[in-house]
Amino acid sequence: EDQVTQSPEALRLQEGESSSLNCSYTVSGLRGLFWYRQDPGKGPEFLFTLYSAGEEKEKERLKATLTKKESFLHITAPKPEDSATYLCAVQVGYQKVTFGIGTKLQVIP
Amino acid sequence: ETGVTQSPTHLIKTRGQQVTLRCSSQSGHNTVSWYQQALGQGPQFIFQYYREEENGRGNFPPRFSGLQFPNYSSELNVNALELDDSALYLCASSLEVTPGNTIYFGEGSWLTVV
């Protein structure tokens, strides 16, 4: 069965303090790994899709990387508005996307 | 703004009742999936519809059912509601069924079962 594990479950950073969120996965035949941001009471907002090991994508202060067993979401010099839950998800077949439990990030001014 | 709209945004039902949730997918997207997200958990896949046919199902009982219409909008129906059905229900749309295609989520429908 596909498994996605995110760590840490919660992370508290000072504004400007860079860090990384981890997503480790156990799947057979990865077709895509997704990162989403979710604000309280809202639906997930798409950030990145990664397809193969070695791939990297960037958007503003966020950079996502992928290896054969895990993905990292690096946050450089975070701001309070980056506070949210970050969800990692994997897709193997044509239908189901399996999500992790998420990392709740709080950035303190 | 993803272009995926859901209604209603919030509702309260009594155990044993039935509920219908609605979703309009992003323009041109013919694939719609539904997810259940309990508090503090990641979204769980319920099922997917592609061109009006159920195309895959997660580990949910038959009392969870759906429909997709010719304009690709969709409904999620839940019968015989249980307290554990209380959750955020998310609709997601994508262009075609191709694995790895970007999946866009709506803001969700909050269901409380009392």
Side-chain angles (χ1 to χ4, degrees), chain A residues 77-99:
Chain A
K79 298 182 177 181
E81 52 263 41
D82 295 323
S83 298
T85 295
Y86 290 85
L87 295 166
C88 171
V90 297
Q91 186 171 29
V92 174
Y94 285 82
Q95 300 94 18
K96 180 180 175 182
V97 174
T98 302
F99 280 83

Side-chain angles (χ1 to χ4, degrees), chain A residues 1-5 23-34 50-51 66-71 88-93 96-100:
Chain A
E1 186 176 320
D2 304 335
Q3 287 198 345
V4 179
T5 304
C23 171
S24 62
Y25 60 92
T26 307
V27 301
S28 178
L30 180 73
R31 305 299 290 270
L33 184 142
F34 306 96
L50 301 169
Y51 296 98
L66 181 64
T67 72
K68 287 188 177 180
K69 292 185 178 180
E70 58 192 352
S71 176
C88 171
V90 297
Q91 186 171 29
V92 174
K96 180 180 175 182
V97 174
T98 302
F99 280 83

Side-chain angles (χ1 to χ4, degrees), chain B residues 28-44:
Chain B
H29 284 191
N30 58 18
T31 304
V32 174
S33 301
W34 286 90
Y35 289 78
Q36 179 196 67
Q37 187 176 21
L39 214 56
Q41 302 294 315
Q44 299 288 316

Side-chain angles (χ1 to χ4, degrees), chain A residues 31-32 34 36 38 41-44 46 49 51 87 91-102, chain B residues 33 35 37 40-43 45 48 55-56 88 90 97-107 110:
Chain A
R31 305 299 290 270
F34 306 96
Y36 286 87
Q38 187 173 29
K42 303 278 189 177
F46 172 75
T49 307
Y51 296 98
L87 295 166
Q91 186 171 29
V92 174
Y94 285 82
Q95 300 94 18
K96 180 180 175 182
V97 174
T98 302
F99 280 83
I101 198 170
Chain B
S33 301
Y35 289 78
Q37 187 176 21
Q41 302 294 315
F45 176 73
Q48 180 186 82
N55 190 43
L88 177 66
L90 295 162
V97 157
T98 307
N101 270 0
T102 301
I103 300 168
Y104 296 95
F105 284 85
E107 296 292 9
W110 281 100

